């Protein structure tokens, strides 16, 4: 691969002020990874996040990871001199990110209105639990509360058992990546308009819409699920099943027909499953009680490595289920650079996730440890704002990415979501489709003529049907690439190169081209050739082993989600947008790679790093926070009704005792301190459980939140559509499609901008719908030339268009 001569940290020269504390800290860490100068501003005494668990060697692991690559200073904004310093820094900053209580900075005369008045180009972003408006604005939050209220918890866990919380870190990572995208989108917009923006990020809305949305792009296994919303948790073990083997567990993904056919042969072609109906996902799901025992018997005597190798040889996606200790020791993650050994605090070294991926073949990730409190006080001074080069020309009022052309080769969830980020904000995204190898999303429809996931994931795009395996089709793609800005793909590593479409080859015809390639495990390392889906990424990256009930090592409960597809795509979009910002200055493109497994490692980073420092300390904790009590998922009045509560500290405990009428427990020696409550978890959990059993989840949540205690009712998906906070912020809209029987609920937006309009809602294309239009307008082909290419199947407009052309050709012959 040709190494570009431009710097590989594309945000060099951009200054970011970070006034976050816990929530959203990782957003500026990602910007720092990408080269921005991030100044971490703490109040006297330091951020509360410096004491966040897990702590090893006296160091908060979450703080150490989420604040790497930053500079650190202390400002006393209660004093006029401190406020003056902040004003001076903001005058020379490009982006300011804060996560303080809404209104806290305004009360001190250093809020958004004042600082942006002195610097109209400043991008100001507020990250808060529920947003700066709405009835939940001042509520408290923890990750478990977000999972409960967002609909994630209601789909997690085994039927008949209590719902199960995902492992720690996934929600914070999701919020931070979306915040990083929003900050860069506003900055990119500023390059043309000269105006900054004010961004309102609600962690709640980001998790609802961006983690694993109930009303958003679904995985291929959605074809096997019911169309309705059953109250109980799905039997997710059927979606991406896990089987015991000689030395652990493996997971398989049987989605495509060819994968099932190969599995059928591996099983010895049992007559019971010879019927062609089992080529479909729904039929296999329905027969899981008979099919899975056969697979279990086949796998029982083999090792994980043997099964993975045999699966690869047969074209069947198989992956081992790894515990955190095994992830840390995995040769692949070390060889690929996904895990590195680094100093995370003075004289404290650990194995840590490096970052989300690479640009120009060089890792973008961990470089320097997090700062000590005030460590860079004397080094940071206000500077003049840079003079940014203009981005692509566009008329005033157009969307930020207008003028960009994207050739979207992406498939399934990751591919749909990555391309949609650019389409939603004005880019001309051309989805490249081959009728002989249809996108998996188009194959996951259940009854209707179009899969709902296509309507969600490919809105605002155009579709160009072309056979890239035909030399003429490949030539047409290269012609399109000569005038394009981005090429997006998530094939197996080496696929683009084998087609003659590698970054090097495309850069020869278009030096400005930016190519983004993604895969499950990346382009380097011993697993690079493995077939990969989100479920195998979760299994191999430690997510699955931690997403289970502590009392049942066999019952993994991550099968109902498609994590990390959505958020890995968003991380890819951030890296691409950063590279576009760099291109605005340099005029040259680059190769970008964001790896799905690396995304999972980053989000589990605190747990993996803690495990590296204290082997055996990180295990599945289920619904109990190992560092806080009472905490967890508690039964409420009613059938299968639950509320999540986290008592973070002694102040929360004192307030809780008042709410539940047990003030006598405030000074109880078994309950008075956080450490005592953890030791006597059963006692304090029981006290809270008794009180909660008398209230509905919503009643309990409202009473506890009124007292400042993080609590969230377990919400089922349909209930999100009438949630008071989401309704007040117009978080949902409806999309429609001529091939769907009814409108679909969809996200209006993930974050609120002050000057950037909400995404458009243009109907997703059917496969090849704009083929003729694109061939004539972008490729300059005549109608006769297009007709010829359609007849030879090089170009592939929709079937009715081809039928019309066949009739017209026949008439011409007569």
């Amino acid at each position: 691969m040709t190494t570009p001569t431009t710097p590989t940290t594309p945000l060099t020269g951009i200054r970011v002020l970070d006034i976050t504390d816990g929530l959203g800290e990782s957003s500026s860490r990602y910007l720092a990874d990408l080269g921005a100068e991030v100044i971490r501003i703490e109040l006297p005494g330091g951020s509360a996040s410096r004491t966040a668990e897990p702590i090893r060697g006296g160091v908060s692991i979450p703080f150490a990871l989420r604040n790497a690559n930053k500079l650190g200073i202390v400002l006393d904004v209660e004093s006029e001199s401190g406020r003056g310093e902040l004003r001076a820094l903001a005058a020379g900053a490009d982006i300011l990110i804060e996560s303080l209580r809404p209104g806290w900075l305004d009360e001190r005369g250093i809020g958004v209105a004042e600082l942006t008045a002195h610097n109209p180009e400043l991008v100001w972003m507020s990250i808060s639990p529920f947003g700066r408006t709405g009835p939940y604005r001042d509520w408290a939050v923890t990750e478990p509360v977000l999972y409960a209220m967002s609909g994630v918890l209601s789909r997690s866990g085994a039927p008949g058992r209590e719902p199960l919380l995902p492992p720690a870190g996934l929600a914070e990572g999701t919020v931070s990546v979306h915040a990083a995208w929003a900050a860069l989108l506003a900055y990119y917009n500023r390059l043309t308009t000269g105006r900054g923006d004010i961004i309102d990020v609600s962690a709640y809305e980001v998790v609802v819409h961006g983690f694993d949305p109930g009303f958003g792009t679904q995985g291929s296994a959605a074809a096997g699920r019911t169309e309705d919303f059953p109250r109980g948790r799905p039997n997710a073990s059927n979606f991406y099943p896990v089987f015991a083997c000689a030395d652990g567990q493996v997971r398989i993904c049987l989605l495509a027909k060819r994968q099932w056919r190969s599995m059928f042969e591996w099983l010895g072609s049992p007559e019971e499953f010879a019927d062609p109906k089992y080529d479909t996902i729904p039929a296999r799901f329905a027969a899981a009680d008979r099919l899975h025992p056969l697979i279990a018997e086949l796998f029982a005597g083999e090792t994980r490595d043997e099964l993975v190798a045999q699966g690869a040889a047969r074209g069947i996606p198989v992956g081992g289920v790894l515990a955190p200790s095994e992830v840390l020791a995995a040769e692949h993650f070390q060889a690929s650079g996904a895990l590195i050994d680094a100093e995370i605090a003075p004289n404290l070294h650990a194995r840590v996730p490096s970052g989300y991926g690479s640009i120009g073949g060089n890792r973008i990730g961990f470089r320097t440890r997090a700062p000590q409190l005030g460590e860079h006080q004397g080094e940071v001074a206000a500077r003049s704002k840079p003079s940014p080069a203009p981005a692509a020309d566009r008329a005033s009022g157009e969307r930020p990415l207008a003028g960009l052309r994207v050739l979207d080769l992406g498939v399934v969830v990751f591919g749909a979501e990555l391309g949609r980020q650019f389409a939603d904000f004005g880019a001309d995204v051309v989805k490249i489709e081959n009728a002989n190898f249809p996108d998996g999303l188009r194959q996951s429809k259940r009854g209707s003529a179009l899969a709902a996931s296509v309507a969600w994931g490919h809105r605002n795009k155009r579709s160009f049907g072309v056979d890239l395996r035909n030399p003429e089709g490949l030539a047409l793609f290269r012609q399109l690439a000569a005038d394009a800005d981005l090429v997006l793909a998530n094939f197996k590593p080496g696929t683009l190169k084998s087609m003659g479409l590698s970054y090097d080859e495309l850069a020869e015809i278009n030096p400005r081209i930016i190519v983004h390639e993604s895969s499950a495990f990346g382009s380097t390392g011993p697993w690079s050739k493995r077939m990969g889906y989100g479920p195998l990424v979760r299994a191999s990256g430690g997510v699955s082993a931690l997403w289970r009930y502590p009392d049942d090592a066999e019952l993994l409960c991550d099968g109902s989600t498609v994590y990390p597809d959505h958020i890995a795509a968003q991380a890819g979009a951030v890296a691409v947008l950063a590279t576009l910002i760099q291109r605005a200055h340099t005029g040259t493109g680059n190769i970008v790679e964001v790896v799905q497994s690396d995304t999972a490692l980053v989000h589990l980073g605190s747990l993996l790093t803690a495990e590296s420092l204290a082997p055996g300390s990180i295990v599945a904790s289920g619904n109990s926070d190992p560092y806080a009590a009472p905490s967890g998922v508690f039964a409420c009045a009613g059938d299968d009704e639950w509320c999540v509560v986290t008592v973070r500290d002694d102040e929360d405990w004192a307030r809780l005792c008042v709410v539940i009428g047990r003030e006598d427990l405030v000074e109880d020696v078994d309950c008075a301190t956080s450490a005592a409550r953890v030791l006597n978890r059963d006692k304090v959990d029981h006290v809270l459980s008794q009180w909660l059993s008398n209230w509905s989840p919503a009643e309990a949540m409202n009473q506890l939140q009124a007292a400042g205690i993080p609590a969230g009712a377990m919400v089922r998906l349909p209930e999100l559509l009438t949630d008071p906070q989401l309704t007040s912020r117009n978080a949902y809209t409806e999309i429609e499609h001529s091939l769907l029987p009814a409108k679909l609920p969809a996200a209006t937006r993930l974050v609120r901008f002050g000057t950037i309009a909400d995404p458009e809602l243009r109907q997703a294309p059917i496969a090849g719908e704009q083929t003729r239009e694109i061939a004539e307008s972008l490729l300059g082909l005549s109608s006769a030339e297009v007709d010829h290419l359609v007849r030879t199947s090089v170009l592939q407009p929709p079937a009715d268009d081809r039928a019309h052309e066949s009739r017209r050709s026949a008439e011409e012959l007569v």
Side-chain angles (χ1 to χ4, degrees), residues 32 48 108 120 308 318 379 426 616 626:
R108 287 153 180 79
V308 170
V318 181
E379 301 176 31

Side-chain angles (χ1 to χ4, degrees), residues 147 151-159 161-167 211 232-234 236 547-549 556-561 623 633 714:
Y147 290 132
V152 172
L153 182 63
S154 67
R155 294 173 283 159
S156 175
R161 290 199 60 170
E162 69 276 16
L164 183 66
L165 291 169
F211 178 74
R233 283 158 290 290
W547 199 333
R548 65 172 177 81
Y549 296 100
L556 278 60
C557 294
D558 66 319
S560 63
T561 180
N623 289 328
V633 180
M714 186 190 78

Side-chain angles (χ1 to χ4, degrees), residues 181 184-185 188 399-408 414-430 457 459-461 485-489 514 516 568-581 592 759-760 762:
W181 163 262
L184 288 190
L185 187 66
Y188 188 83
R399 293 179 177 273
L401 304 181
L404 294 177
R405 179 160 298 125
V406 181
L407 303 183
D408 185 1
F414 180 99
E417 290 296 293
L418 176 57
R420 186 177 61 80
Q421 304 309 316
F422 293 90
D424 277 355
F425 292 100
D428 177 19
V429 177
V430 178
R459 70 184 188 190
N460 299 326
K461 300 179 184 179
D485 298 282
L486 306 177
V487 172
L488 309 177
I514 295 170
H516 179 281
Q570 193 70 40
V574 173
V576 171
L577 186 53
T579 309
L580 279 166
I581 290 169
V592 179
E760 294 183 271
R762 296 196 311 276

